[in-house]
Amino acid sequence: MHNLVLKPFEGKKALILGVANERSLAWSIAQHLYQGGARLAFTYQGEALERRVRPLAESVQADIIYPCNVSEDSHLDSLFAEIKNQWGGMDILIHSVAFANKEDLEGRFVHTSREGFRIAMDISAFSLIATARRAEPLMEGREGSIITLSYYGAQKVVPNYNIMGVAKAALEASVRYLAYDLGPKKIRVNAISAGPVKTLAAAGIKNFKSMLAASEEKTPLHENISADDVGSLSAFLCSSYAKHITGSTLYVDSGAHIMGV
Ligand code: 0WE
């Protein structure tokens, strides 16, 4: 039996991609890791987001705050070089990044363009492979944990989620193949499939408010989740309590995914 560990992440180094503001799921994950004693690194994309991310990162004494566009191999190379320089290695990778063109998140899926498909798959799915590949040598001998964020639209049709559903399906499958590849290195790879939360990624999505209301109705627990629920599941997944959990997609959705009608 275990005792409860007060600082489960003491001495651990965590890289977090995808904080946009204080409502971000990635920010809640960061706070849980920080409270557990981890040292943190953050990335941001562009100056507008830098102004949001920098104060948050400083409030948790981040060691590294670095620009990174995940569609640029050169950005990823310099990010991981910086981590190797400053930390010598890393233990935790949080991938909380997704993008599709706004016009591909409404209307008919059959109208998805080649370029819209490419960009959604590149930023939302390939970026996990690209970051995991660079994290692998830095996690050598350290029992690493990699977590990405998914959504139920990967498994079943959610109207208007469209190309993001296809990208999240590719992401969840990538989690399994990465878990297989990195397993011998004792690196675990998992996805968290979160219920809808009002974050920046949800802003500007048509009828999101009514979706939240409908989703609350339909869940067995009759309540929507919060970013904090994603943070606490991440803390569990990064801890040794989850040492034999890999390749999984875990739902934090108040039970929504078990429902038929
Ligand atoms: O994965 C997501 C959304 C990710 C996302 C959000 C945006 C908004 C701004 C990806 N690309 C963009 N592109 C933009 O220009 N979610 C799980 C939230 C979400 O998005 C939906 C949902 C839900 C839930 C879109 C349609 C229907 C449901």
Side-chain angles (χ1 to χ4, degrees), residues 5-257:
V5 185
L6 208 54
K7 291 278 178 197
F9 310 124
E10 202 95 82
K12 305 274 187 207
K13 310 278 202 275
L15 168 61
I16 301 167
L17 286 84
V19 175
N21 60 35
E22 64 291 335
R23 278 163 27 166
S24 297
L25 301 185
W27 175 238
S28 179
I29 297 170
Q31 288 176 290
H32 277 79
L33 296 177
Y34 176 69
Q35 277 161 16
R39 302 298 309 181
L40 305 181
F42 294 88
T43 65
Y44 59 87
Q45 199 209 331
E47 281 173 26
L49 287 176
E50 179 179 10
R51 280 194 291 279
R52 298 278 190 166
V53 172
R54 192 170 283 283
L56 293 174
E58 281 168 358
S59 76
V60 291
Q61 299 163 67
D63 292 323
I64 301 166
I65 307 171
Y66 209 76
C68 182
N69 174 348
V70 295
S71 19
E72 297 283 352
D73 281 326
S74 61
H75 291 205
L76 291 171
D77 287 340
S78 42
L79 166 65
F80 283 86
E82 175 73 8
I83 287 171
K84 188 174 181 175
N85 259 341
Q86 289 232 16
W87 283 347
M90 60 184 282
D91 306 278
I92 293 166
L93 170 63
I94 306 298
H95 174 276
S96 185
V97 179
F99 182 81
N101 289 328
K102 196 168 158 51
E103 68 261 29
D104 290 330
L105 292 175
E106 47 193 56
R108 300 183 75 211
F109 173 69
V110 72
H111 289 151
T112 306
S113 66
R114 190 182 296 277
E115 179 59 8
F117 179 95
R118 191 200 62 72
I119 197 159
M121 291 295 265
D122 183 39
I123 299 181
S124 313
F126 180 75
S127 64
L128 178 69
I129 305 170
T131 50
R133 175 218 291 249
R134 290 166 173 87
E136 179 182 4
L138 298 182
M139 289 178 170
E140 193 72 53
R142 300 172 65 131
E143 304 192 340
S145 176
I146 299 177
I147 296 176
T148 188
L149 273 295
S150 193
Y151 178 61
Y152 188 59
Q155 298 293 331
K156 299 285 179 181
V157 171
V158 174
N160 299 314
Y161 199 59
N162 294 0
I163 186 56
M164 274 309 306
V166 173
K168 291 299 195 188
L171 182 74
E172 291 181 13
S174 300
V175 162
R176 292 187 282 274
Y177 282 91
L178 289 169
Y180 174 75
D181 268 6
L182 304 186
K185 308 274 180 68
K186 303 296 171 211
I187 299 169
R188 298 178 296 106
V189 188
N190 293 288
I192 294 176
S193 185
V197 184
K198 197 167 168 255
T199 64
L200 187 63
I205 282 157
K206 267 207 289 193
N207 305 319
F208 195 80
K209 263 186 96 171
S210 55
M211 269 195 39
L212 277 179
S215 134
E216 186 161 34
E217 273 284 276
K218 119 165 202 188
T219 66
L221 294 175
H222 292 296
E223 56 189 20
N224 283 318
I225 71 150
S226 65
D228 193 64
D229 295 313
V230 175
S232 54
L233 178 54
S234 300
F236 163 72
L237 278 176
C238 291
S239 77
S240 62
Y241 290 121
K243 68 188 248 189
H244 290 141
I245 300 179
T246 193
S248 292
T249 297
L250 289 87
Y251 287 89
V252 207
D253 65 349
S254 295
H257 72 282

